[in-house]
């Protein structure tokens, strides 16, 4: 496995030095076994965000003092773009108090630049990756619906909002869907609850089967499911809607949609409200 490191550093002298350190770490003396390291470099915030929206990265080495963004705002923008990635800050001695605060805000570690060497950098990166992995696993378990195994509402809002921001940045469209099994009545008895739970599990399995590899699926309410479908070069949102709607009708599910576009911005909560308003049980009954 190749370790992909994004180095966000404006000073070329420091870039060359850190790349030399990473090359020595790659030899295996400072890691548990040999690991190939691929370094991606950005000297500005805009370049860093462009890489993060298009490339796979394992760890970020970040100098917060950039030409187009400085200080705490630098980390916050990087973290908002890809909050699942571990960040190790590279700072000057005068910025150590700020770096300490940013560690409390989500950065995994920081190093004073003049202290950067093979052993401390390898240690910081390795521990940052492991801590982030454990944190992500804990967050995933807290965002999972126990009945269906899908993401729950909180997880959906976070993931869908990530896709909304990405769609806005790339000038793409995003479709938010709400799906609900038809004729799913209130569960008055234990037997009714079992039947309801079985119907919800079957609905979740069906949605998994029709979702694309990048679609986000979640259980967002007692009887409702949410999906976020990102428009791609392979499939337009109109084509995705036809596919999803046909599958929903075939499985007696109500479905509603709302579209996000960069020229018609809206928050995820507002898009969910629009999709809920688009649910049409009468139309579904006429087609089945």
């Amino acid at each position: 496995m190749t370790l992909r490191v994004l180095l966000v550093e404006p000073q070329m002298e420091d870039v060359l030095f850190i790349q030399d350190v990473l090359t020595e770490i790659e030899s295996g003396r400072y890691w548990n076994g040999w690991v190939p390291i691929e370094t991606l470099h950005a000297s500005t915030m805009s370049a860093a965000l462009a890489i993060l929206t298009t490339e796979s990265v394992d760890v970020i080495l970040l100098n917060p003092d950039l030409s187009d963004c400085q200080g705490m705002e630098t980390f916050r923008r990087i973290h908002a773009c890809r909050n699942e990635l571990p960040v190790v800050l590279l700072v000057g001695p005068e910025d150590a108090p700020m770096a300490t605060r940013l560690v409390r805000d989500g950065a995994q570690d920081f190093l004073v630049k003049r202290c950067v060497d093979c052993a401390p950098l390898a240690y910081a990166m390795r521990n940052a990756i492991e801590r982030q992995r454990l944190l992500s696993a804990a967050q995933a378990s807290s965002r999972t619906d126990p009945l269906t195994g899908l993401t729950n509402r909180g997880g959906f809002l976070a993931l869908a909002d990530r896709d909304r921001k990405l769609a806005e940045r790339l000038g793409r469209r995003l479709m938010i869907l709400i799906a609900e099994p038809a004729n799913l009545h209130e569960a008055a008895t234990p037997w009714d609850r079992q039947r309801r739970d079985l119907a919800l599990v079957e609905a979740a399995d069906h949605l998994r089967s029709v979702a694309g590899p990048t679609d986000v699926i979640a259980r967002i309410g007692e009887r409702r499911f949410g999906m976020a479908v990102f428009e791609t070069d392979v499939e337009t949102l109109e084509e995705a809607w036809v596919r999803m709607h046909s599958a929903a009708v075939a499985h007696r599910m109500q479905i509603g949609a709302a579209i996000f576009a960069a020229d018609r911005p809206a928050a995820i909560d507002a898009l969910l409200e629009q999709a809920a308003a688009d649910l049409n049980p009468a139309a579904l009954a006429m087609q089945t």
Side-chain angles (χ1 to χ4, degrees), residues 14-241:
D14 289 338
V15 171
L16 295 175
F17 170 70
I18 294 169
Q19 286 178 335
D20 286 343
V21 172
L22 291 171
T23 298
E24 191 164 349
I25 291 173
E26 185 180 27
S27 69
R29 289 180 56 198
Y30 303 95
W31 207 273
N32 292 332
W34 179 78
V35 54
I37 297 176
E38 180 180 353
T39 305
L40 308 174
H41 173 241
S43 59
T44 63
M45 173 60 70
S46 58
L49 294 179
I51 291 173
L52 289 173
T53 55
T54 59
E55 298 284 350
S56 172
V57 174
D58 297 303
V59 62
I60 301 171
L61 303 179
L62 175 64
N63 178 353
D65 189 14
L66 306 177
S67 62
D68 54 349
C69 196
Q70 290 83 40
M72 299 180 72
E73 182 64 18
T74 303
F75 168 75
R76 287 168 179 163
R77 290 183 64 185
I78 292 286
H79 191 58
C81 179
R82 295 286 299 277
N83 63 4
E84 78 280 10
L85 292 179
V87 177
V88 176
L89 302 166
L90 303 176
V91 300
E94 68 282 1
D95 290 327
M98 176 192 69
T100 301
R101 180 174 174 182
L102 288 177
V103 168
R104 293 197 297 268
D105 288 346
Q108 286 297 338
D109 204 346
F110 75 91
L111 294 172
V112 175
K113 274 210 251 184
R114 68 185 183 191
C115 299
V116 169
D117 204 348
C118 297
L121 183 58
Y123 178 84
M125 288 196 304
R126 185 172 57 246
N127 283 2
I129 292 169
E130 179 61 18
R131 283 196 299 266
Q132 189 67 41
R133 184 188 68 79
L134 295 173
L135 178 62
S136 297
Q139 290 175 338
S141 64
S142 68
R143 291 181 173 179
T144 300
D145 173 55
L147 177 64
T148 63
L150 296 175
T151 300
N152 61 21
R153 184 180 180 88
F156 179 78
L157 291 175
L159 294 172
D161 195 53
R162 174 205 63 188
D163 285 355
R164 181 191 64 82
K165 293 175 182 175
L166 184 59
E168 186 171 24
R169 186 177 300 118
L170 299 179
R172 296 271 187 171
R173 294 184 299 166
L174 177 73
M175 180 165 59
I176 299 297
L177 297 168
I178 286 182
E180 184 176 304
N183 303 320
L184 194 62
H185 303 296
E186 295 295 329
T189 68
W191 171 244
D192 290 335
R193 285 193 291 274
Q194 290 177 8
R195 294 178 60 188
R196 180 205 62 185
D197 289 352
L198 178 59
L200 291 170
V201 170
E202 291 175 346
D205 289 342
H206 168 61
L207 292 174
R208 285 189 184 96
S209 72
V210 300
T214 62
D215 297 343
V216 177
I217 320 170
R219 184 183 178 195
I220 61 172
E222 187 67 23
R223 293 179 289 179
R224 284 187 173 176
F225 298 90
M227 295 185 69
V229 181
F230 201 88
E231 185 168 52
T232 67
D233 294 332
V234 177
E235 184 178 50
T236 67
L237 290 189
E238 288 78 10
E239 292 169 336
W241 165 254

